[in-house]
Amino acid sequence: MDTRVAIIGLGIGKSHIEEAYSKQKELFNVALICDLNEARLAEIGDAYGIAGRTTSFEQVLADPTVDIVDICTPPGLHF
């Protein structure tokens, strides 16, 4: 199975990669990561071999290849 996941917000999102997605690679493929901090985006993308990187929330939502969007932004930013 290749369920393609996009993660938005790599503060908490990094722990989702470490504690869940990377331990279940037979079920999930973290295909796209999104964060406004480009240094964090590069660091985590390089560490986990994630090629898909963007600073655009809209780009994540527009990607037809993504099956799951894991939104990991601070609760205070939720509407």
Side-chain angles (χ1 to χ4, degrees), residues 20-71:
Y21 297 120
S22 68
K23 293 181 180 180
Q24 298 183 53
K25 290 182 180 183
E26 71 283 359
L27 298 175
F28 301 104
N29 170 19
V30 179
L32 182 60
I33 53 177
C34 177
D35 199 279
L36 294 176
N37 182 322
E38 292 186 14
R40 182 169 30 199
L41 196 60
E43 175 189 339
I44 293 171
D46 291 350
Y48 292 96
I50 303 166
R53 306 170 192 185
T54 184
T55 59
S56 170
F57 177 77
E58 291 80 12
Q59 183 179 344
V60 173
L61 296 181
D63 188 331
T65 68
V66 171
D67 300 304
I68 296 171
V69 177
D70 188 354
I71 301 175

